[in-house]
Amino acid sequence: MARVLSCIQPTGPVHLGNYLGALVNWVSGQNRNDVFHGIVDLHALTVTDKPGVIGDQTLQLAAVLFAVGLDPKVATVFVQSHIPAHSQLGWIMECLAGFGEASRMTQFKDKSAKGGADTARVGLFTYPMLQAADILLYQAHYVPVGEDQRQHIELTRDLATRFNARFGETFRVPEGHILKAGAKIYDLQEPTSKMSKSSGSAAGVLELMDTPEANTKKIKSAATDAGREVKFDEKEKPGISNLLTIHSSLSGTSIANLEKEFDGKGYGDFKGAVAEVVVEYFRPIRAQALELLEDEKHLIDLLHEGADKARVVASSTLQNTYKNLGLVK
Ligand code: TYM
């Protein structure tokens, strides 16, 4: 069985980009593979630090992960801060990575440029090395992620290869597994930027836990393009193309068939249909997550059980890493 690992940050509500870019694949892979999924709360500290906020968001995220179909009996779902080995291996990765290669990470450049270099935190800079530790601790074969994580996975592979060459075979060199269909879902208001929790406008982000009314409103006021033809053309019609991707990914109807179905109908009808597909798709997920959140103790118990399983694997890799580094036992 292949070992699969992937993680998500509790930095805000889960949105459709996370769902199509990652979670769908997490759920469909859980019965074929040995899967580990982390809620990376320490990563979230790079952007949020109000007391309690990350904790609340961690529980909400856990409820959504179980509600979309991750089954705690087969998938190991854990919280990063419950397993100290992540920070411990993270430091070793920082000592392995070059300042130059870390400086080339586009996510760091984008995020630090937004707030200005002076306010960017050191943790934002070292973030990819902690991410490498998340992956390598579990000796993962595959890491299913959206397109935006490609560079971090490449860095992880480089660090694993470098460590193995210097200190002996220690880590499996993982492969990224980038989901094609939902690899990049764009913001509804700015259809050339990815849908993101840190996006400027909440109006462009479809959240799984939003009310049906709120999501319908967002879709109906999504930015569209000149013309009135429902046609997939990412260059000329990024807004309509994004909505076609969303409809197709959730309904299973091909983009070509959607183009035929809405031929001559105009944007209004098409947006109404997208809204219906999204709202009906999210409805049972939202209901299930709200139910899970009513019993917080049970939810936390599930996370502790996940951490107990993850800790065994992570500690064993860390001990072997220390040994291969030649640290005194
Ligand atoms: P995060 O929390 O931003 O996103 C979680 C997953 O959702 C995908 N994703 C998207 N896919 C398509 N379109 C979008 N608009 C979109 N937005 C997000 C992301 O690609 C990701 O797969 N650095 C990671 C978290 C992380 C991690 C790891 C991932 C930490 N350690 C180890 C994998 C393995 C991140 O910020 O994801």
Side-chain angles (χ1 to χ4, degrees):
M1 241 191 197
R3 172 71 57 76
V4 168
L5 171 124
S6 198
C7 304
I8 180 167
Q9 294 194 74
T11 37
V14 180
H15 56 74
L16 188 68
N18 300 132
Y19 182 70
L20 291 175
L23 305 188
V24 171
N25 182 279
W26 295 11
V27 174
S28 67
Q30 67 182 339
N31 292 312
R32 287 192 305 274
N33 305 302
D34 179 20
V35 304
F36 286 75
H37 292 301
I39 299 178
V40 287
D41 53 350
L42 299 176
H43 274 110
L45 286 171
T46 56
V47 286
T48 335
D49 55 10
K50 283 207 193 89
V53 172
I54 294 180
D56 288 346
Q57 287 176 350
T58 295
L59 291 181
Q60 286 182 23
L61 181 51
V64 172
L65 293 184
F66 294 127
V68 298
L70 278 181
D71 175 357
K73 288 193 207 75
V74 288
T76 302
V77 178
F78 62 91
V79 175
Q80 186 185 35
S81 64
H82 291 175
I83 303 166
H86 286 253
S87 312
Q88 292 167 300
L89 188 63
W91 173 252
I92 291 170
M93 292 296 132
E94 285 174 33
C95 294
L96 195 65
F99 195 83
E101 72 186 334
S103 308
R104 286 191 291 277
M105 295 293 113
T106 53
Q107 290 221 331
F108 169 72
K109 289 200 273 187
D110 290 351
K111 286 190 184 169
S112 56
K114 264 189 199 163
D118 285 348
T119 55
R121 307 179 190 177
V122 174
L124 199 58
F125 185 66
T126 57
Y127 179 117
M129 281 60 82
L130 181 58
Q131 178 161 352
D134 298 337
I135 298 169
L136 299 179
L137 276 175
Y138 296 92
Q139 306 287 0
H141 294 89
Y142 300 109
V143 188
V145 284
E147 176 65 41
D148 60 324
Q149 297 301 311
R150 189 186 287 277
Q151 199 188 26
H152 289 169
I153 307 297
E154 274 311 311
L155 176 73
T156 303
R157 289 169 52 82
D158 289 347
L159 293 175
T161 309
R162 191 174 310 158
F163 190 99
N164 290 346
R166 280 190 202 160
F167 303 103
E169 208 53 33
T170 310
F171 302 115
R172 177 171 286 130
V173 180
E175 273 176 45
H177 182 124
I178 309 232
L179 249 192
K180 278 280 161 288
K184 200 155 182 188
I185 299 296
Y186 295 90
D187 187 289
L188 298 183
Q189 289 300 324
E190 281 171 57
T192 47
S193 328
K194 74 167 184 176
M195 187 175 283
S196 152
K197 288 172 267 204
S198 54
S199 155
S201 76
V205 179
L206 291 172
E207 296 167 12
L208 271 71
M209 295 301 282
D210 250 351
T211 60
E213 296 72 32
N215 276 330
T216 301
K217 193 168 164 212
K218 287 181 186 179
I219 294 168
K220 292 206 165 157
S221 44
T224 39
D225 327 282
R228 51 188 318 271
E229 230 188 329
V230 177
K231 206 167 176 330
F232 192 89
D233 178 344
E234 279 188 306
K235 264 219 172 96
E236 300 297 327
K237 290 173 168 278
I240 287 296
S241 301
N242 191 34
L243 292 177
L244 277 165
T245 305
I246 292 172
H247 189 314
S248 171
S249 305
L250 296 181
S251 67
T253 312
S254 70
I255 290 187
N257 281 344
L258 288 172
E259 285 174 342
K260 269 190 220 140
E261 189 180 332
F262 290 95
D263 187 22
K265 290 205 178 129
Y267 292 163
D269 281 1
F270 175 57
K271 283 179 168 178
V274 176
E276 202 174 311
V277 167
V278 169
V279 163
E280 289 315 315
Y281 197 95
F282 285 2
R283 194 184 296 282
I285 297 175
R286 180 166 183 265
Q288 172 78 19
L290 289 173
E291 199 180 314
L292 281 159
L293 282 166
E294 269 170 28
D295 188 352
E296 209 172 280
K297 180 177 176 314
H298 174 62
L299 195 55
I300 294 175
D301 283 348
L302 290 178
L303 294 172
H304 285 169
E305 284 164 25
D308 288 344
K309 286 194 261 169
R311 201 176 292 113
V312 175
V313 181
S315 308
S316 150
T317 304
L318 184 72
Q319 287 318 314
N320 194 37
T321 309
Y322 283 172
K323 182 174 129 251
N324 292 352
L325 280 166
L327 302 183
V328 174
K329 198 170 157 60

